[in-house]
Amino acid sequence: MVMERIAALDPGREKCGFAVLAEGGEVLMQRVIETAQLEEEVRAAREAYGFAVLVEGNGTTSREARARLQKAMPDLRICLLYTSPSPRDRG
C-alpha cells in the first residue's frame, strides 16, 4: 500500500477547518481558514506540502466548497467523508 500525504477540510459558511497530514499521520499544518479564501489557501498548502488527496466532511457547505475546489484545481482528488450527526443534532 502506497502512503500519501493528505489534506482534510471541514467546510463552513465563514470559516473552514483545514489540515495536512504526513504519510504516517503526523500533522504538518492545521489551521482555520476563511471560506472566502478557500481556493488560495488550499492551493498554497498543496504547493508547500504536496498532498495527493483532500478528504472533505459532508457538512452544510461541502457541496459548494467541493465545486469551488474542483473548478480551481481539477486534478485534485477529493474524497467526501460522511460524518455522523453530532449529539446536539440528535435531539
Side-chain angles (χ1 to χ4, degrees):
M1 181 164 103
V2 176
M3 301 287 284
E4 299 176 320
R5 288 186 176 182
I6 64 166
L9 179 69
D10 182 11
R13 285 183 182 86
E14 295 181 22
K15 298 181 218 171
C16 302
F18 183 55
V20 178
L21 289 85
E23 293 83 348
E26 173 191 359
V27 177
L28 300 174
M29 183 273 294
Q30 181 178 10
R31 68 177 83 144
V32 175
I33 61 175
E34 298 294 323
T35 302
Q37 301 299 317
L38 179 62
E39 297 93 323
E40 294 85 359
E41 292 278 357
V42 172
R43 184 179 288 114
R46 189 177 187 199
E47 289 173 7
Y49 298 102
F51 55 85
V53 64
L54 183 135
V55 177
E56 179 187 6
N58 71 324
T60 307
T61 61
S62 65
R63 186 175 298 171
E64 178 186 338
R66 191 167 48 261
R68 288 173 55 189
L69 290 173
Q70 287 172 331
K71 182 177 181 182
M73 291 168 274
D75 62 325
L76 177 62
R77 283 188 302 161
I78 300 175
C79 296
L80 190 59
L81 177 66
Y82 291 92
T83 57
S84 326
S86 69
R88 71 174 180 256
D89 295 333
R90 293 185 200 139

